[in-house]
């Protein structure tokens, strides 16, 4: 680095270094909770969790501009409502340095099924009873046991593919009936279709060869599906699997070309004369260009994980 070059300015942290205890009355919500929320199962789970083990994840606030001592609530409206119902007057919060109330929740991935399974396993390993975990989540103990044994019979490669996905528990039940290689193929099909529902996984199961099943004798043709339809479904699934592999081979280069082209369009639009000309003579093209630039400006999702208190 030459003496003429300058180091880039350090990025400011997104949050203040220390948690802060704030009067609940000084926190201004940015939305009003619907009247139905306190009656919902999710609300009951959050309330039970706070009663049993306390507030795991602090609400996120930002300082209100021009209002000394006041804060805007960015995330945690349900948690704050529960604390008010419990008669609490203060709450420990994470203070954001910017008011990002419109984008904060978009940067967070909700707790995935496998991640929840791992959290339950860790809690059990630390000596927390299944009964207490069930009470904290306000669910039946049988459901906790199902989640604890979620990956029994699931191969590590399929679990890795689905670790950040929101799959119903019964989808894993269908996967267990497949051999490891077919589980991996099924997981790839689910991701490609962005469909993790039980009917979809059962359709993949129905389209699987008996050689790909753990217990071929237990294979059943879905009710209302003829042998010909089952064979056609199997062929379509195989074709989709082949297409996925082809797309995977070109996705990286295609994405790189898209980014390069998009940045070029962005520089073109920074030319005021060209932008005015397009606006006057080719408004439709200008609109398409702006959509391309806007899509490139959207932030990529992070891998941050929320607990069961997420709201």
């Amino acid at each position: 680095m030459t003496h003429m070059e300058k180091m880039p300015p350090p990025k400011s942290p997104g949050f203040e270094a220390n948690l802060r205890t704030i009067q609940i009355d000084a926190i201004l919500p940015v939305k009003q909770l619907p009247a139905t929320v306190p009656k919902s199962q999710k609300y009951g789970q959050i309330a039970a969790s706070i009663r049993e083990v306390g507030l795991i994840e602090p609400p996120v606030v930002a300082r209100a501009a021009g209002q000394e001592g006041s804060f805007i609530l960015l995330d945690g409206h349900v948690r704050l409502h529960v604390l008010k119902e419990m008669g609490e007057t203060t709450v420990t919060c994470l203070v954001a340095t910017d008011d990002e109330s419109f984008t904060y929740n978009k940067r967070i991935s909700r707790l995935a099924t496998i991640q929840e399974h791992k959290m339950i396993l860790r809690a059990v390993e630390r000596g927390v009873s299944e009964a207490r975990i069930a009470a904290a989540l306000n669910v039946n103990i049988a459901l906790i046991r199902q989640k604890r044994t979620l990956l029994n019979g699931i191969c590590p490669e399929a679990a890795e593919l689905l670790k950040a996905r929101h799959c119903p528990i019964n989808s894993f039940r269908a996967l267990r009936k497949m051999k490891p290689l077919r589980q991996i193929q099924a997981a790839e099909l689910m991701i490609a279709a962005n469909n993790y529902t039980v009917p979809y996984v059962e359709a993949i199961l129905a389209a699987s060869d008996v050689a790909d099943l753990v217990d071929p004798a237990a294979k059943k043709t879905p009710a209302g599906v003829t042998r010909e339809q089952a064979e056609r479904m199997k062929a379509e699934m195989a074709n989709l699997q082949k297409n996925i592999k082809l797309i995977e081979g070109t996705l990286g280069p295609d994405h790189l070309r898209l980014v390069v082209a998009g940045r070029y369009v962005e520089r073109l639009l920074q030319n005021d004369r060209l932008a005015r000309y397009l606006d006057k003579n080719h408004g439709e093209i200008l609109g398409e260009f702006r959509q391309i630039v806007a899509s490139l400006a959207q932030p990529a999702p992070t891998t941050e994980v929320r607990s069961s208190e997420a709201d």
Side-chain angles (χ1 to χ4, degrees):
M1 179 181 293
T2 68
H3 68 281
M4 296 296 292
E5 293 175 326
K6 293 183 179 180
M7 291 290 291
K11 293 182 179 180
S12 59
F15 301 95
E16 294 183 6
N18 299 316
L19 295 174
R20 181 185 178 95
T21 300
I22 301 173
Q23 292 288 330
I24 290 179
D25 290 343
I27 300 175
L28 311 172
V30 297
K31 66 180 180 182
Q32 185 72 31
L33 290 179
T36 56
V37 168
K39 301 175 184 178
S40 67
Q41 181 183 7
K42 187 66 177 179
Y43 184 94
Q45 289 179 337
I46 294 172
S49 175
I50 293 175
R51 284 195 300 268
E52 286 291 324
V53 296
L55 189 64
I56 297 173
E57 185 178 6
V60 180
V61 299
R63 297 180 183 276
Q67 300 182 51
E68 184 67 28
S70 294
F71 298 82
I72 298 171
L73 181 62
L74 304 182
D75 180 69
H77 289 75
V78 172
R79 279 166 277 164
L80 198 69
H81 192 281
V82 169
L83 291 171
K84 286 181 180 179
E85 291 291 308
M86 293 171 60
E88 299 291 335
T89 57
T90 62
V91 59
T92 301
C93 297
L94 187 62
V95 182
T97 54
D98 295 311
D99 177 3
E100 297 184 349
S101 57
F102 293 103
T103 60
Y104 181 82
N105 280 310
K106 292 182 180 179
R107 299 185 182 183
I108 297 168
S109 299
R110 303 301 178 187
L111 191 65
T113 310
I114 290 179
Q115 292 163 339
E116 186 178 13
H117 152 79
K118 291 181 177 179
M119 286 180 62
I120 291 172
L121 281 185
R122 284 198 296 268
V124 171
E125 289 169 358
R126 292 171 184 170
V128 181
S129 68
E130 292 177 344
R132 188 177 180 192
I133 297 172
L137 297 177
N138 195 31
V139 297
N140 192 290
I141 293 181
L143 181 58
I144 295 299
R145 289 171 181 161
Q146 278 185 297
K147 291 182 177 181
R148 183 168 58 82
T149 59
L150 181 76
L151 296 184
N152 288 4
I154 304 296
C155 73
E157 294 82 2
E160 179 67 20
L161 287 170
L162 298 173
K163 68 178 182 181
R165 313 290 174 170
H166 299 269
C167 304
I169 292 177
N170 287 340
S171 292
F172 288 94
R173 182 182 300 172
L175 283 175
R176 286 191 200 99
K177 298 178 182 180
M178 308 175 198
K179 290 183 179 178
L181 182 58
R182 185 57 176 167
Q183 288 181 8
I184 297 169
Q185 293 173 344
E188 290 174 342
L189 288 168
M190 293 158 68
I191 293 168
N194 194 29
N195 188 341
Y196 308 94
T197 61
V198 177
Y200 186 69
V201 183
E202 288 181 341
I204 297 174
L205 177 63
S208 301
D209 283 328
V210 291
D212 291 327
L213 303 181
V214 174
D215 183 7
K219 181 174 182 179
K220 298 178 180 178
T221 302
V225 177
T226 65
R227 181 184 296 273
E228 291 76 15
Q229 289 172 328
E231 288 299 321
R232 187 163 61 250
M233 185 188 303
K234 175 181 170 182
E236 288 174 355
M237 285 291 184
N239 188 48
L240 179 57
Q241 182 73 23
K242 186 187 299 182
N243 290 337
I244 289 172
K245 294 300 181 183
L246 291 173
I247 291 170
E248 284 177 347
T250 61
L251 179 60
D254 285 348
H255 184 263
L256 177 60
R257 284 192 285 268
L258 174 63
V259 172
V260 172
R263 294 307 178 200
Y264 176 71
V265 170
E266 184 177 19
R267 289 197 298 273
L268 284 179
L269 295 185
Q270 290 172 355
N271 184 317
D272 291 337
R273 288 183 62 190
L274 178 59
R276 286 196 298 271
Y277 173 81
L278 289 175
D279 186 36
K280 182 178 180 180
N281 300 285
H282 305 283
E284 186 175 336
I285 294 176
L286 179 61
E288 294 293 333
F289 280 173
R290 284 173 173 164
Q291 284 187 17
I292 292 172
V293 173
S295 68
L296 293 175
Q298 290 178 358
T302 67
T303 56
E304 183 181 353
V305 175
R306 300 296 300 277
S307 73
S308 61
E309 289 187 38
D311 53 80

